[in-house]
Amino acid sequence: MIDDNAAYIELLKDHVGQQVTLKGWLYNSRAGGKVLFLIIRDGTGLCQCVVEKGKICDELFEQLRHVGQESSLSVTGLVRADERSVGGHELAVTDAHIIAPAANYPITPKSHGIDFLLKHRHLHLRSQGQWCIGKIRHTVIDAVRRFFNDNGFTLIDTPIFTATAGEEEQTLFEVDYFGSPLHLTQTGQLHLESAAMSFGKVYCFGPTFRAEKSKTRRHLTEFWMVEPEVAFIELDGLLELAENFVSSVVARVLQDNRRQLETLGADVASLEKITPPFYRLTYTEAAEVLTSPKTADFLAGQLEEMRNQKKHIEDRIAQLEEEQKGQMKQWKRDKNAAELIEMRSELAEVDTKIENNPKHAQLAAEFRWGKDLGGSDETIISQMHDKPVFVTHYPKKAKAFYMKSDRSNEDVVLNFDLLAPAGFGEIIGGSVREDDHDRLIARIKEQGLSVENYEWYLDLRKYGSVPHGGFGLGIERTVAWLTSQKHIRQCIPFPRMMDKVYI
Ligand code: 4AD
């Protein structure tokens, strides 16, 4: 009989020496002759449950020996503190109940290819990696809301069906709205600007959609964005807001999720450096950096490092392949096989980087003032910094119609992108908004947009226009940076990508 001292694994520290019941799923198990080690997960953590023959009835012992991965169980036992055990505690089992058995769970502790895992995302969410990322994403979202709520911002829910394009028209998803075309929102910004004229400091937070024909590691077609908008703010104020905001989110994740960051192999030491002020570069300075000999040397140094890394990986693969030919225990063979898959995928990645390095070096060397910064340019600049970098004052012709021109140099706009460090790249885009009615009309026309569609937006410049601005931070890109994920598809539970929507 299971007693009902139900406990969660994350709270076991409060129950040392007590009898508790855990309810969860079998994550992994190992069997000796007279003892079973069952690793149970319950949504709050992992716990090793030790079942000794003789301490429970033989029939149950045999059932537990054969119960499959991901079977649901309740397990009762005495909580012991044990430093070596996963989570720092273990359970000396006195009783157990198999709630629902699972057989042939498709995702085994061995490695699987990414395609397989994406097709099985509904199950893969139970893996340690996805669990850690999900916990961190939760903290990021909570920290985002906390920051704005604590700093006098009002949450405004902007619409998902929209008639006006906030960003490039080519990336709008069209929907049939009772026979008329409408679009899925690309940004809440335009509606948010109207709310800023009522509430002063506002933010919206929701899903956004872009029909971007990009299959890169940084693009999803559906992603979540938080956007603050502030009345009476200039560019410097926006940069200060953004660096305080990002630093507060990083600090919260370090405080709440250190263990998950470590499990994921994230670069915790680098995250600890994320405090204001961040670096500031104008676009013109960034262009000079890209074309400088120093950058060419930096990239050549990287190429050298990547070649060494490749050699190292190849040696390890050869060693593992050699070992696989010999005799070994099954668990060791599985472990080797998993590492081999990992190593081969790392090798493929290094090969791609080695192939791309000269192309990126050439693009950087040939960079000309006026072009928008490409993904590889951003990567180079962000690789050269150990803290986030603001790139400001982009050429007007490369940017959206709503950005305010710099009145002291009409060729550039008062905008910024924030690049996360160590090669991660852009996580925020923002700007001061054009607040002059006639200039805004001129910009709308210049970009070939219909003035009629923006009549309501132009009203904001007719009735008490004020300097104002804001920015948008992509949640998945931020989580990918914090957790050192290579691809942002790992940072949303059910990713939608240009070429594939799996489940
Ligand atoms: O730079 P973006 O396009 O800026 C805007 O949408 C502004 N209207 C925001 C504002 O000023 N209120 O996008 C902002 C951020 C990017 O820096 C990136 O983090 C994320 O949104 N983002 C994407 N994330 C994933 N997949 C995509 N396809 C993304 N496009 C943008």
Side-chain angles (χ1 to χ4, degrees):
M1 190 52 200
I2 301 293
D3 70 19
D4 67 19
N5 297 330
Y8 284 110
I9 291 171
E10 68 178 349
L11 299 178
L12 287 182
K13 60 180 184 324
D14 302 331
H15 295 282
V16 175
Q18 293 171 12
Q19 191 84 358
V20 301
T21 297
L22 298 177
K23 292 183 180 164
W25 295 262
L26 182 66
Y27 187 67
N28 204 350
S29 64
R30 204 156 42 86
K34 296 205 157 104
V35 62
L36 308 175
F37 299 97
L38 309 178
I39 309 280
I40 304 281
R41 54 168 199 88
D42 72 346
T44 73
L46 294 176
C47 178
Q48 172 160 281
C49 302
V50 185
V51 191
E52 284 181 59
K53 199 162 184 166
K55 297 265 169 80
I56 59 168
C57 76
D58 286 353
E59 193 189 343
L60 183 58
F61 187 85
E62 282 314 304
Q63 282 172 1
L64 291 174
R65 180 198 288 282
H66 296 108
V67 72
Q69 187 190 344
E70 288 305 322
S71 297
S72 48
L73 306 168
S74 67
V75 185
T76 299
L78 188 72
V79 181
R80 294 192 294 231
D82 187 337
E83 278 294 297
R84 295 156 309 167
S85 208
V86 53
H89 297 90
E90 62 175 32
L91 204 71
V93 177
T94 53
D95 199 0
H97 170 61
I98 298 170
I99 300 166
N104 305 323
Y105 184 69
I107 306 177
T108 62
K110 292 182 207 168
S111 263
H112 297 274
I114 183 67
D115 220 43
F116 178 88
L117 292 178
L118 284 169
K119 274 187 200 141
H120 291 83
R121 189 67 149 220
H122 54 297
L123 301 176
H124 191 220
L125 284 183
R126 305 179 190 193
S127 72
Q128 271 305 284
Q130 276 297 310
W131 182 82
C132 290
I133 294 171
K135 287 301 230 186
I136 292 169
R137 182 180 166 112
H138 168 81
T139 303
V140 166
I141 291 175
D142 189 49
V144 160
R145 292 188 189 283
R146 192 69 58 88
F147 178 87
F148 290 118
N149 294 343
D150 288 352
N151 283 285
F153 284 71
T154 301
L155 174 70
I156 300 294
D157 295 318
T158 50
I160 287 178
F161 287 131
T162 59
T164 38
E167 297 298 327
E168 291 155 89
E169 281 195 301
Q170 310 86 278
T171 68
L172 285 168
F173 274 113
E174 194 172 293
V175 286
D176 178 347
Y177 193 76
F178 304 108
S180 304
L182 268 191
H183 302 112
L184 296 180
T185 186
Q186 300 165 304
T187 166
Q189 180 198 320
L190 305 194
H191 294 87
L192 204 57
E193 283 183 55
S194 79
M197 301 304 133
S198 171
F199 299 88
K201 297 204 282 186
V202 289
Y203 72 103
C204 65
F205 189 10
T208 42
F209 306 87
R210 304 233 177 139
E212 245 160 335
K213 298 218 164 78
S214 273
K215 294 190 197 164
T216 76
R217 66 185 176 89
R218 296 189 239 224
H219 287 93
L220 296 169
T221 52
E222 178 182 310
F223 61 96
W224 285 67
M225 179 158 54
V226 58
E227 299 177 83
E229 190 73 28
V230 182
F232 304 104
I233 199 164
E234 306 286 352
L235 187 59
D236 284 345
L238 272 181
L239 302 189
E240 214 175 294
L241 177 67
E243 66 194 359
N244 287 333
F245 165 56
V246 170
S247 304
S248 82
V249 171
V250 175
R252 252 300 288 290
V253 170
L254 284 169
Q255 182 191 305
D256 290 9
N257 301 103
R258 194 166 280 267
R259 198 173 264 176
Q260 285 91 13
L261 288 171
E262 283 165 3
T263 304
L264 291 165
D267 189 351
V268 175
S270 300
L271 295 179
E272 274 163 348
K273 291 194 207 136
I274 310 299
T275 49
F278 295 169
Y279 298 106
R280 285 160 166 72
L281 280 183
T282 62
Y283 164 92
T284 304
E285 286 162 345
E288 279 160 13
V289 169
L290 286 173
T291 50
S292 75
K294 192 176 135 215
T295 298
D297 290 348
F298 173 79
L299 290 170
Q302 269 192 340
L303 187 60
E304 194 56 38
E305 254 175 53
M306 290 185 292
R307 288 193 174 126
N308 290 338
Q309 201 184 347
K310 176 177 164 128
K311 172 86 183 56
H312 188 74
I313 298 172
E314 282 172 341
D315 289 351
R316 180 70 186 143
I317 290 178
Q319 188 189 1
L320 287 166
E321 282 173 345
E322 198 49 44
E323 278 177 27
Q324 289 295 75
K325 288 181 197 154
Q327 293 285 319
M328 67 178 84
K329 293 232 160 82
Q330 192 56 39
W331 68 266
K332 172 81 172 126
R333 189 172 293 286
D334 290 347
K335 192 161 168 274
N336 271 16
E339 193 182 340
L340 261 174
I341 294 181
E342 191 86 352
M343 284 286 133
R344 288 191 185 122
S345 114
E346 273 185 34
L347 183 62
E349 247 167 63
V350 177
D351 276 337
T352 313
K353 284 191 194 159
I354 291 176
E355 198 185 313
N356 284 337
N357 177 285
K359 293 184 210 158
H360 293 169
Q362 191 180 351
L363 279 174
E366 290 172 1
F367 189 85
R368 290 294 166 263
W369 200 98
K371 259 180 54 181
D372 203 356
L373 292 181
S376 67
D377 306 318
E378 284 176 358
T379 305
I380 293 169
I381 292 168
S382 96
Q383 275 167 343
M384 296 169 94
H385 292 85
D386 58 354
K387 282 216 275 189
V389 197
F390 287 114
V391 183
T392 63
H393 300 87
Y394 281 60
K396 182 157 71 183
K397 61 181 181 190
K399 287 292 168 186
F401 71 94
Y402 56 72
M403 295 187 179
K404 183 170 179 170
S405 63
D406 181 350
R407 304 301 197 244
S408 64
N409 174 4
E410 289 283 349
D411 290 338
V412 299
V413 282
L414 300 173
N415 81 316
F416 71 94
D417 279 352
L418 180 67
L419 311 183
F424 192 80
E426 184 196 324
I427 56 169
I428 293 188
S431 73
V432 178
R433 321 304 186 190
E434 182 52 75
D435 50 42
D436 179 273
H437 180 269
D438 295 349
R439 282 172 180 263
L440 187 57
I441 289 205
R443 289 288 288 145
I444 290 173
K445 288 185 180 155
E446 250 169 59
Q447 302 223 349
L449 299 166
S450 141
V451 176
E452 204 190 335
N453 281 350
Y454 293 93
E455 288 296 354
W456 68 268
Y457 185 64
L458 285 158
D459 271 357
L460 308 178
R461 279 73 181 167
K462 273 197 214 155
Y463 305 112
S465 188
V466 298
H468 67 285
F471 57 82
L473 169 129
I475 294 295
E476 293 74 21
R477 288 199 191 171
T478 305
V479 174
W481 162 49
L482 298 178
T483 57
S484 301
Q485 296 302 300
K486 288 173 195 127
H487 203 300
I488 68 169
R489 67 186 166 210
Q490 297 302 4
C491 301
I492 185 164
F494 300 101
R496 271 80 186 96
M497 288 154 295
M498 181 204 154
D499 51 346
K500 282 209 175 96
V501 172
Y502 287 87
I503 62 165

